Amino acid sequence: DIQMTQSPSSLSASVGDRVTITCRASQSISSYLNWYQQKPGKAPKLLIYAASSLQSGVPSRFSGSGSGTDFTLTISSLQPEDFATYYCQQSYSTLDSFGQGTKLEIK
Amino acid sequence: QVQLQESGPGLVKPSETLSLTCTVSGGSISSYYWSWIRQPAGKGLEWIGRIYTSGSTNYNPSLKSRVTMSVDTSKNQFSLKLSSVTAADTAVYYCARDTDPHDAFDIWGQGTMVTVSS
């Protein structure tokens, strides 16, 4: 099984800040890495697929990078609506797995 | 646009079987892959398994012995059965779509809360 580890688990930041969240896979997953945003009581929403492709309708302040085992999600200038929990997910294996999540809170 | 809606009992007794259905509306269920994902309160996401419209499946190894998924293309629905449930199976259960097992989950249902309790 492929294990996904996110860091940090939680993060405090201010509106306008640049934020980076990291996801590491236990083995190489090429670019089969996706990022989701989840707000309380809601289903996850796809932000980034294939490591760096922006899902339609997602603001361009979100970006993703990486390949192999190390990946990052960057929010270039935090907006109030960005405070949420973010999950990475590998789709390299037919047995999918998610990171444990990163909760982004207002400082 | 395609929408997913989970349905099923919100309360299941320990040792019994949890049964959920996901109804696909606004598009065809055919030629896509369909997954179940769950989330215990305050915790992260756990992928349960995936089914293709042909009926082929992949299951999370940690749940494989208790999981059965099926698809009914005539009703545009797919289903999850999880047997021998315990309190640890209490969670919000989501259904989701991907166009390929190596793709992302681009469409999700709103989720349904299932509590395992006597």
Side-chain angles (χ1 to χ4, degrees), chain A residues 26-53:
Chain A
S26 60
Q27 67 180 73
S28 177
I29 57 171
S30 186
S31 295
Y32 294 103
L33 191 283
N34 312 301
W35 290 98
Y36 301 86
Q37 176 194 66
Q38 187 180 34
K39 296 182 178 179
K42 300 294 187 182
K45 172 188 173 183
L46 176 63
L47 297 176
I48 301 284
Y49 62 95
S52 60
S53 295

Side-chain angles (χ1 to χ4, degrees), chain B:
Chain B
Q1 71 280 20
V2 175
Q3 293 184 315
L4 308 183
Q5 179 67 58
E6 304 89 349
S7 59
L11 181 63
V12 181
K13 290 182 168 57
S15 80
E16 295 190 344
T17 296
L18 177 159
S19 295
L20 296 175
T21 296
C22 183
T23 300
V24 180
S25 60
S28 174
I29 196 172
S30 297
S31 303
Y32 288 98
Y33 294 80
W34 305 95
S35 283
W36 289 97
I37 297 155
R38 70 180 183 178
Q39 184 173 39
K43 297 188 177 181
L45 300 164
E46 179 180 34
W47 177 76
I48 299 170
R50 171 186 285 109
I51 187 165
Y52 185 57
T53 48
S54 66
S56 64
T57 55
N58 296 111
Y59 298 143
N60 186 324
S62 68
L63 299 169
K64 186 175 183 177
S65 64
R66 299 193 291 130
V67 172
T68 303
M69 293 183 182
S70 59
V71 62
D72 187 337
T73 55
S74 67
K75 294 183 178 180
N76 245 27
Q77 294 177 335
F78 60 103
S79 298
L80 168 71
K81 292 187 185 299
L82 181 66
S83 64
S84 305
V85 296
T86 70
D89 296 310
T90 295
V92 174
Y93 286 74
Y94 295 100
C95 55
R97 184 190 85 167
D98 52 357
T99 54
D100 181 275
H102 295 299
D103 284 345
F105 300 115
D106 61 343
I107 299 175
W108 294 64
Q110 64 184 24
T112 188
M113 180 68 202
V114 179
T115 301
V116 178
S117 175
S118 56

Side-chain angles (χ1 to χ4, degrees), chain A:
Chain A
D1 300 2
I2 300 175
Q3 310 300 320
M4 307 301 295
T5 304
Q6 288 181 234
S7 61
S9 296
S10 64
L11 175 60
S12 294
S14 301
V15 172
D17 283 355
R18 179 183 179 89
V19 166
T20 297
I21 298 169
T22 297
C23 180
R24 175 165 289 177
S26 60
Q27 67 180 73
S28 177
I29 57 171
S30 186
S31 295
Y32 294 103
L33 191 283
N34 312 301
W35 290 98
Y36 301 86
Q37 176 194 66
Q38 187 180 34
K39 296 182 178 179
K42 300 294 187 182
K45 172 188 173 183
L46 176 63
L47 297 176
I48 301 284
Y49 62 95
S52 60
S53 295
L54 194 67
Q55 176 70 350
S56 176
V58 174
S60 59
R61 62 181 180 273
F62 291 93
S63 64
S65 65
S67 65
T69 60
D70 294 316
F71 301 86
T72 58
L73 172 70
T74 299
I75 310 172
S76 60
S77 179
L78 273 174
Q79 298 302 300
E81 61 268 29
D82 299 337
F83 292 94
T85 300
Y86 293 84
Y87 293 93
C88 63
Q89 174 239 342
Q90 66 81 17
S91 52
Y92 175 82
S93 166
T94 53
L95 306 179
D96 296 56
S97 51
F98 291 88
Q100 81 279 16
T102 295
K103 187 173 184 179
L104 180 53
E105 299 175 303
I106 301 173
K107 184 183 286 185

